[in-house]
Amino acid sequence: MADKKAQLIIEGAAPIDLPVYSGTLGPDVVDVRGLTGEGYFTFDPGFMATSSCESKITYIDGDKGILLHRGYPIEQLAEKADFLETCYLLLNGELPTDAEKAEFVSTINNHTMVHEQLKNFFNGFRRDAHPMAIMCGVVGALSAFYHDSLDINDHKHRQISAIRLIAKMPTLAAMVYKYSLGQPLMYPRNDLSYSENFLHMMFNSPCEEKKVNPVLAKAMDRIFVLHADHEQNASTSTVRLTGSSGANPFACIAAGIAALWGPAHGGANEAVLNMLDEIGDVSNIEKYLAKAKDKNDPFKLMGFGHRVYKNFDPRAKVMKQTCDEVLAELGINDPQLELAMKLEEIARNDPYFKERNLYPNVDFYSGIILKAIGIPTSIFTVIFATGRTPGWIAHWNEMISGPYKIGRPRQLYTGPTQRDYPTNK
Ligand code: CMC
């Protein structure tokens, strides 16, 4: 039922009435679906003004720097909830009771191992393969192992696939790292928390098991919480679009991982560290800022700017605080981290960045924290993917649970008009 009505007037044609709907928060939307019947499409490359779906999961106000999951501000979740509680919230719509949380954690723990045969897939990859290339492959391959949960129309199947994906992502992420080193793959330990277990699988070996530093485990958990969902971004929209064809959840999440890999999206955390390598020294900052401002130079300041946030990214605020905690705990004195802090300070006071509302985003600080924890740059985006998995699944599940249509955008065609194949060819 429309809340209001809009009228589209196109020269030479009768006015077209379009329904307008209001959400609980955010701008009203004009329902343009009826335009096709009138002989028109809308044109919105990059989906700057297009709501691709109705959703109850996450709300962002980019101008005010607000991010809510199921209504709860991200700052409060980062402070009070852990990652698995956030997963529960995203998947189920409400925070769990203590009993529900305990049951959820125990169910996740029951699924942390991957099928032994999945290890064979790793051997097919070069040791120097990019970890995201391996992740796309092995997460997609999960669909070949769990035939018992691939019926997307069965609520129970969707639930168990969600659990399997959230439980196995850290195991796979750590396996990717260990494979790159040529070290034995570590089994998960279910007596540890989600983030402790991840760091255990990353940094311990069968011949030496050290206790995971709780400050680093907390920082890791926070990174997962801060990445858990972000509304209809490129990878989530990819998951929805892939899922709209009826593809299985493992295939959909593999597609999301591929979309996340790009440097304009999740690949930015890795790109930040590569950029810092390129800048090299504080004395080069001005030169690189000039390059970032030069329209003829493709160089961009990685970790700055956001499609939606035109104010400080609320996740970046929490991430900066965590960054300070981790650097203090580890007593790190790394010239590259000093360079990052100086770059941040100079760019934030530069008129070009101020006028365009280009603030450091979540990836700027997460890259620095991950480096300090000892995680290699090439694994950064894999960690983003692990954190984003509950969001991807929540959106996929929301779509499949309601009435949906296969995603099929149209186009403004500007190619040749119909012509005949040459007779002399
Ligand atoms: N460095 C220099 N200039 C920039 C940057 C940057 N990082 N980002 C935007 N601009 C300029 C851009 O050139 C344009 O200038 P003008 O108005 O003079 O033409 C203006 O700012 C607006 O930028 P835009 O390209 O229209 O913004 P967008 O919404 O299309 O792009 C973005 C958003 C995130 C792709 C872009 O800011 C960017 O490439 N940033 C660096 C990559 C990055 O850090 N990505 C991670 C995003 S956060 C994690 C996630 O959610 O995935």
Side-chain angles (χ1 to χ4, degrees), residues 321-398:
Q321 185 196 334
T322 308
C323 185
D324 293 340
E325 283 166 22
V326 168
L327 297 187
E329 166 72 14
L330 297 176
I332 280 185
N333 192 6
D334 178 340
Q336 198 179 44
L337 300 180
E338 276 171 35
L339 170 63
M341 294 307 162
K342 194 73 193 159
L343 176 68
E344 182 216 336
E345 187 193 319
I346 297 176
R348 284 183 61 188
N349 291 311
D350 187 294
Y352 172 94
F353 289 87
K354 278 165 85 171
E355 278 157 21
R356 288 168 179 74
N357 295 319
L358 298 171
Y359 294 89
N361 57 49
V362 68
D363 286 326
F364 187 77
Y365 301 108
S366 66
I368 296 169
I369 301 173
L370 292 173
K371 179 175 188 224
I373 292 178
I375 292 175
T377 318
S378 60
I379 303 284
F380 287 7
T381 315
V382 173
I383 285 171
F384 192 152
T386 304
R388 184 54 55 88
T389 298
W392 286 332
I393 300 169
H395 283 274
W396 170 79
N397 196 34
E398 181 178 67

Side-chain angles (χ1 to χ4, degrees), residues 10-293:
I10 298 175
E11 238 177 58
I16 304 168
D17 288 337
L18 300 168
V20 177
Y21 311 123
S22 301
T24 47
L25 290 168
D28 291 349
V29 300
V30 182
D31 181 345
V32 294
R33 284 174 292 184
L35 283 181
T36 325
E38 303 287 340
Y40 296 100
F41 295 149
T42 55
F43 183 60
D44 183 20
F47 304 116
M48 303 289 287
T50 294
S51 304
S52 59
C53 61
E54 183 186 330
S55 181
K56 293 181 169 53
I57 302 171
T58 290
Y59 172 74
I60 303 174
D61 184 329
D63 293 328
K64 296 195 182 121
I66 292 172
L67 168 61
L68 311 176
H69 291 325
R70 304 283 191 184
Y72 296 104
I74 189 66
E75 295 88 341
Q76 293 180 23
L77 291 173
E79 193 194 327
K80 298 188 173 136
D82 63 18
F83 180 61
L84 287 184
E85 197 173 343
T86 309
C87 291
Y88 185 100
L89 173 70
L90 288 169
L91 295 176
N92 299 296
E94 294 298 335
L95 288 168
T97 61
D98 289 348
E100 285 165 341
K101 168 92 184 285
E103 194 193 334
F104 185 68
V105 172
S106 147
T107 313
I108 291 283
N109 283 344
N110 275 330
H111 290 275
T112 49
M113 282 199 297
V114 296
H115 195 289
E116 281 294 294
Q117 260 178 276
L118 196 81
K119 283 186 191 168
N120 300 337
F121 281 65
F122 283 80
N123 295 328
F125 287 96
R126 288 169 51 137
R127 295 260 175 203
D128 63 354
H130 194 286
M132 286 295 276
I134 305 183
M135 285 304 277
C136 291
V138 293
V139 172
L142 291 177
S143 50
F145 288 84
Y146 301 108
H147 296 141
D148 60 344
S149 66
L150 296 184
D151 181 357
I152 61 162
N153 298 315
D154 183 323
H155 172 68
K156 282 254 174 303
H157 281 217
R158 293 204 301 275
Q159 239 178 355
I160 188 65
S161 293
I163 295 287
R164 281 178 169 149
L165 277 158
I166 292 170
K168 293 180 201 309
M169 280 296 280
T171 313
L172 292 171
M175 284 168 85
V176 168
Y177 176 51
K178 289 296 194 190
Y179 181 74
S180 74
L181 296 177
Q183 287 186 8
L185 308 177
M186 293 295 287
Y187 285 106
R189 264 190 47 193
N190 294 344
D191 58 321
L192 300 177
S193 73
Y194 192 86
S195 301
E196 279 172 335
N197 176 45
F198 174 61
L199 293 177
H200 152 75
M201 291 187 290
M202 285 287 289
F203 296 118
N204 280 334
S205 73
C207 44
E208 193 177 5
E209 275 213 17
K210 285 189 239 134
K211 193 175 160 358
V212 174
N213 181 328
V215 175
L216 303 191
K218 188 175 154 214
M220 197 66 243
D221 201 77
R222 208 165 251 185
I223 287 178
F224 287 144
V225 171
L226 293 176
H227 284 98
D229 189 39
H230 214 227
E231 207 227 63
Q232 313 306 328
N233 54 80
S235 57
T236 304
S237 297
T238 301
V239 170
R240 278 189 182 258
L241 193 58
T242 311
S244 76
S245 74
N248 76 68
F250 303 104
C252 294
I253 301 306
I257 293 173
L260 186 76
W261 190 358
H265 192 11
N269 51 17
E270 179 179 348
V272 169
L273 269 279
N274 293 338
M275 173 191 74
L276 292 174
D277 265 344
E278 191 184 334
I279 297 176
D281 188 76
V282 176
S283 61
N284 294 326
I285 290 180
E286 287 303 339
K287 182 176 125 199
Y288 278 90
L289 282 187
K291 275 165 74 66
K293 294 178 209 173

